[in-house]
Amino acid sequence: MSSKKNETIKALFEDGNEEFAEEFRDRVKAIHEYFDKDGDGYLNMEELGELQRCTTTTESTTESTESSSSLDGDQYVMVCRCLGCHPNRGISVEALRLTYASDGADLEKDYATVFPERKRVDTTNDGETNNKDETNVKDDDEKVYEIGQDGYEI
């Protein structure tokens, strides 16, 4: 079963999806680096808890709720073990990538919450990350219109 899940995740990043895969990796890396306050390359319990608090919202409000999203030690150990990470070290960027590739995760929403001023992260040919502010870049052709029931705009 685990093998089939890994094959599905691997397929997301194979031929034909390179642009998606690159943007996906860049966004996960940017989120990981943002919350990795000690810069050791891993998210410890406090750092992962901060990511969770920042990106968790209730249905009735868009503000984060600390009470509903506080991460305790047992939960942190369970998350680390599920992702194949040692709790004393923390969550690697690869493990966070797996988390965002799973059902129910919303990388776009979390990225927009953490970086509201940015729309996407680009990389140069040498692999360096360049954060581009694209808040004012919008073509009329790129606008998305939601159409509700009976053809009315939402």
Side-chain angles (χ1 to χ4, degrees):
M1 181 71 117
S2 174
S3 165
K4 185 170 178 111
K5 188 175 188 178
N6 289 339
E7 288 174 20
T8 303
I9 291 171
K10 183 180 175 187
L12 288 172
F13 304 107
E14 289 183 347
D15 297 332
N17 291 319
E18 289 116 15
E19 187 177 322
F20 166 77
E22 187 175 325
E23 186 172 340
F24 179 86
R25 283 190 299 267
D26 291 343
R27 287 181 182 221
V28 173
K29 182 179 179 188
I31 289 173
H32 191 277
E33 287 175 351
Y34 181 85
F35 288 99
D36 183 18
K37 299 301 183 191
D38 60 10
D40 67 351
Y42 298 89
L43 299 180
N44 61 36
M45 187 171 88
E46 291 78 26
E47 294 165 340
L48 185 62
E50 183 60 28
L51 187 159
Q52 183 184 21
R53 278 186 294 282
C54 179
T55 59
T56 302
T57 58
T58 63
E59 290 182 20
S60 61
T61 181
T62 57
E63 293 184 24
S64 296
T65 56
E66 194 166 323
S67 62
S68 67
S69 63
S70 59
L71 184 69
D72 69 28
D74 291 337
Q75 291 170 325
Y76 175 73
V77 169
M78 181 185 70
V79 168
C80 287
R81 288 188 178 153
C82 287
L83 293 172
C85 299
H86 195 285
N88 290 340
R89 188 158 222 189
I91 306 297
S92 66
V93 70
E94 293 83 13
L96 190 60
R97 204 175 289 140
L98 284 174
T99 301
Y100 277 114
S102 66
D103 286 340
D106 191 344
L107 177 61
E108 297 301 315
K109 179 183 139 304
D110 289 357
Y111 186 83
T113 300
V114 174
F115 303 109
E117 72 283 356
R118 293 191 234 172
K119 293 293 182 196
R120 74 174 202 223
V121 175
D122 286 332
T123 57
T124 61
N125 290 337
D126 62 357
E128 230 179 346
T129 301
N130 291 324
N131 299 319
K132 294 196 173 185
D133 181 0
E134 297 187 351
T135 52
N136 295 324
V137 178
K138 197 159 218 178
D139 256 351
D140 283 346
D141 295 351
E142 293 179 353
K143 288 184 181 175
V144 176
Y145 295 96
E146 291 187 45
I147 305 298
Q149 206 170 19
D150 298 320
Y152 297 106
E153 277 189 44
I154 296 176

